[in-house]
Amino acid sequence: MVSLMIRLDKYLADSGYGTRSEVRSFLRIGEVTVNGEVVKDGARKIDPKCDIVARGGKAVEFSEFEYYMLHKPAGIITASRDKKEKTVIDLIDSKKRRDLFPVGRLDRDTEGLLLITNDGELSHRLLSPKKHIEKRYIALVSGVLPENIAEEFEKGIDIGDEKTTKPSTLRRLDSIEETDDPYIEENYERLAETFGSISIMDVGLTEGRYHEIKRMFEALGGKVEYLKRISMGALKLDKELSLGGYRKLTEEEVEILKRGTEEGI
Ligand code: URA
C-alpha cells in the first residue's frame, strides 16, 4: 500500500492543533518531536502510518477522515460555513478537521440524520443516484392525498423539472407510535390539533433534488408540515441522540456505509 506523506504543519493542523500559523508558532519554540527528535520545520514530510509525532511529550493522533452523525434540529442551515448564520458544522464542537462538510442537504426546517465528514469519495457515492442509496424520511402531511399515492411515488412524479422524479417508495403509517420517535410524536400532536387530520408517510428516495419531498406532495395536493430524515442506506439515526446531538460513527458503521456504496444497497 502506498503511504501518504504530508507536511508536519498540515499534520498538526488537521489533527485539531490550530491553524497553520498557530502550528508554526509552537513548532518554532521546539514543542514538537518526530520520532523523539525536536523538529521546527513545518515543511518536514511525515508518514502518518509510521512516524510518531508528539507535542509537549504527548502523542498527536492523526485522523485523515472524520465521520459524525448529527441529529439536525430545525432552524440550522446545511452548509459548511456562513458569515451570518450558524451551520450544522458549527454544532460539531469536538471536530478536529477543518475540512468537514455535510453529506447532502436538508432544508432549514428539516430535522434528522445528517452525516458530516471530510471523506469526499464516500460522500459522492452516498449521494450519486446511480448507487441507489436510499434516504428515508418521515413526512407529516396535511391536505387530501390520492388513494393511489404509493403508485404515484413508484411511477415518478412531475414536480416541474425536466424529468419526473426517480421511482421512490411511500408507506402510510397507521399510527404515530410506529415511528418510535418522541420528536416526531410531539410535532404530530401539535399539527393534528391545528389541522385535524395529518398523514404520516414513510418515504424512501434515491436522489436528492431541491425541496424534493415537499414538491412531490405538493404536486399531489398535500403540504409537508414536518419532515425528518431517519436513515441513509444502512445507517439509521441513533435514537439515543437528542435533537442537536451528535456522535462519531463507529468503525463498523463506516465500513457498512462504504460496503453499501460498493454493492449499491
Ligand atoms: N426533501 C425536502 O423537501 N426537503 C429536505 O430537506 C429533504 C428532502
Side-chain angles (χ1 to χ4, degrees):
M1 192 193 260
V2 190
S3 227
L4 180 78
M5 301 289 280
I6 61 168
R7 287 173 61 111
L8 177 59
D9 50 7
K10 179 166 166 49
Y11 180 103
L12 289 158
D14 285 351
S15 303
Y17 282 72
T19 61
R20 288 255 200 134
S21 73
E22 283 162 352
V23 162
R24 254 176 251 130
S25 61
F26 65 71
L27 274 169
R28 224 177 288 130
I29 55 173
E31 282 188 5
V32 176
T33 56
V34 177
N35 303 323
E37 265 176 49
V38 171
V39 176
K40 296 186 176 180
D41 179 10
R44 165 81 170 264
K45 287 290 169 75
I46 298 295
D47 181 345
K49 290 223 157 50
C50 55
D51 289 326
I52 297 170
V53 178
R55 181 189 177 191
K58 205 163 160 261
V60 171
E61 260 179 59
F62 180 74
S63 45
E64 188 181 3
F65 295 119
E66 283 192 293
Y67 303 89
Y68 291 97
M69 168 193 294
L70 170 70
H71 187 171
K72 179 192 175 295
I76 305 281
I77 59 167
T78 305
S80 295
R81 54 190 67 82
D82 190 88
K83 284 206 178 84
K84 291 193 196 116
E85 293 202 53
K86 195 168 188 168
T87 72
V88 289
I89 304 297
D90 296 327
L91 297 178
I92 314 292
D93 292 328
S94 69
K95 59 183 174 284
K96 290 190 172 161
R97 303 280 317 199
R98 290 163 175 268
D99 51 358
L100 293 178
F101 58 86
V103 177
R105 187 178 287 270
L106 291 179
D107 297 337
R108 182 198 289 270
D109 58 357
T110 302
E111 290 183 350
L113 172 65
L114 191 62
L115 184 64
I116 290 182
T117 184
N118 58 327
D119 185 341
E121 193 182 328
L122 179 63
S123 167
H124 178 72
R125 289 179 183 203
L126 287 168
L127 298 177
S128 165
K130 288 192 200 108
K131 294 283 179 188
H132 303 290
I133 304 296
E134 189 181 58
K135 290 92 191 170
R136 278 186 47 227
Y137 297 80
I138 298 291
L140 302 180
V141 187
S142 64
V144 181
L145 297 165
E147 276 294 311
N148 68 340
I149 186 164
E151 279 166 42
E152 301 280 350
F153 270 64
E154 169 61 37
K155 242 178 26 203
I157 298 169
D158 180 359
I159 56 172
D161 291 347
E162 212 170 288
K163 288 185 180 163
T164 56
T165 56
K166 280 198 180 288
S168 53
T169 63
L170 178 131
R171 192 167 70 88
R172 194 189 284 267
L173 306 188
D174 293 328
S175 102
I176 198 66
E177 282 81 37
E178 277 185 61
T179 63
D180 190 24
D181 182 320
Y183 299 101
I184 302 179
E185 287 184 31
E186 206 179 294
N187 280 282
Y188 176 78
E189 274 156 30
R190 174 179 61 82
L191 292 166
E193 220 166 82
T194 313
F195 293 96
S197 149
I198 283 284
S199 303
I200 313 158
M201 301 298 200
D202 181 325
V203 179
L205 297 187
T206 56
E207 61 176 354
R209 300 190 203 171
Y210 178 68
H211 287 176
E212 185 161 6
I213 294 180
K214 291 174 182 162
R215 289 156 73 206
M216 288 165 93
F217 281 104
E218 208 171 290
L220 300 173
K223 179 165 187 297
V224 173
E225 306 289 349
Y226 170 86
L227 189 61
K228 178 164 195 168
R229 181 151 69 193
I230 54 169
S231 68
M232 192 170 201
L235 188 70
K236 289 195 174 70
L237 178 64
D238 186 337
K239 301 253 188 231
E240 299 294 314
L241 284 180
S242 56
L243 205 56
Y246 67 89
R247 69 161 170 81
K248 281 194 170 182
L249 292 196
T250 63
E251 276 176 28
E252 198 188 351
E253 284 171 331
V254 175
E255 255 329 289
I256 290 171
L257 268 184
K258 286 188 178 167
R259 229 180 298 134
T261 66
E262 279 154 20
E263 295 156 7
I265 53 166

